[in-house]
Amino acid sequence: MPQTINIKCPGCEVVLRVTNSKDEPEKRFACPKCGKRIVVPFYKLKPEDGETQLDGKEGSQSTQMCGDDILQSCYLLHEGKQYDLAIGSNTVGRLASTSIADVQIDTDDLFMSREHAVINVRRLPNGSLKIDISNFKNKNTTKVNGLLLEHDDAIVLHDDDTIEMGSTSLSFHTK
């Protein structure tokens, strides 16, 4: 059965109605008013978890805030600038007019690819986050706490981990 929720855009605070008609774990879209990228996770907690249900009764509507607790639960830090990560898949790369990365780091480091790595952020049913990083299809290196990330590897990230993409050093943080 399709699940419909109302969310509040974290950019302009307009209320948007989002329907999950294909039983997807999340919906990704841009706010039609301000253009802010929004990721809406869809999941149900089991009643025995002791947690409040997000969607109430099956088929009913609920309102979910898409604020800091949903969209900005973890971030990268580079030279004092914070780059928020959304729930879902985040392609991270160097800021460039030709980059299609979700998170574009402002650096002149040509050893950092325009699409360098992918950071997956998943919210588990108990509310905790599982975050991992994998190298994107590029020839430049990625290291986590000094360990080289090989192609097809995925490493779970923890608060205060150091990520090196090319010659650029980033730190990973959770809120």
Side-chain angles (χ1 to χ4, degrees):
M1 172 169 273
Q3 180 183 6
T4 300
I5 61 172
N6 296 319
I7 62 148
K8 193 174 189 181
C9 173
C12 65
E13 299 189 355
V14 67
V15 176
L16 303 168
R17 183 181 172 115
V18 182
T19 300
N20 185 6
S21 58
K22 297 178 183 174
D23 199 27
E24 301 164 302
E26 67 184 24
K27 283 263 190 188
R28 294 172 155 257
F29 61 94
C31 174
K33 183 175 180 185
C34 70
K36 176 137 177 106
R37 190 174 72 128
I38 300 173
V39 178
V40 179
F42 285 95
Y43 60 92
K44 295 180 183 179
L45 297 175
K46 297 176 186 173
E48 61 268 16
D49 285 346
E51 298 287 341
T52 303
Q53 293 285 333
L54 284 180
D55 61 348
K57 295 180 182 175
E58 192 171 316
S60 68
Q61 294 184 20
S62 63
T63 300
Q64 178 175 325
M65 299 301 288
C66 279
D68 290 344
D69 60 330
I70 298 294
L71 295 176
Q72 300 174 353
S73 49
C74 54
Y75 61 95
L76 298 172
L77 194 62
H78 173 64
E79 295 181 347
K81 186 171 181 185
Q82 179 175 314
Y83 297 88
D84 293 320
L85 298 169
I87 299 219
S89 179
N90 298 270
T91 305
V92 181
R94 175 175 38 89
L95 176 66
S97 60
T98 56
S99 176
I100 58 168
D102 300 311
V103 179
Q104 297 188 22
I105 307 299
D106 190 3
T107 181
D108 293 330
D109 176 13
L110 296 180
F111 293 106
M112 182 179 196
S113 301
R114 289 168 290 173
E115 291 86 38
H116 195 100
V118 176
I119 298 178
N120 290 302
V121 180
R122 292 179 293 281
R123 189 173 299 278
L124 302 176
N126 67 4
S128 66
L129 294 176
K130 181 178 180 183
I131 302 110
D132 61 63
I133 184 170
S134 56
N135 212 22
F136 200 74
K137 298 171 186 168
N138 69 69
K139 296 175 184 166
N140 297 319
T141 61
T142 303
K143 295 180 182 177
V144 176
N145 298 326
L147 298 172
L148 183 63
L149 189 63
E150 299 289 340
H151 290 286
D152 298 326
D153 283 350
I155 295 178
V156 174
L157 291 174
H158 300 93
D159 202 25
D160 295 323
D161 278 349
T162 300
I163 303 167
E164 294 173 54
M165 295 184 191
S167 300
T168 301
S169 182
L170 308 156
S171 57
F172 171 78
H173 301 278
T174 57
K175 292 183 183 181

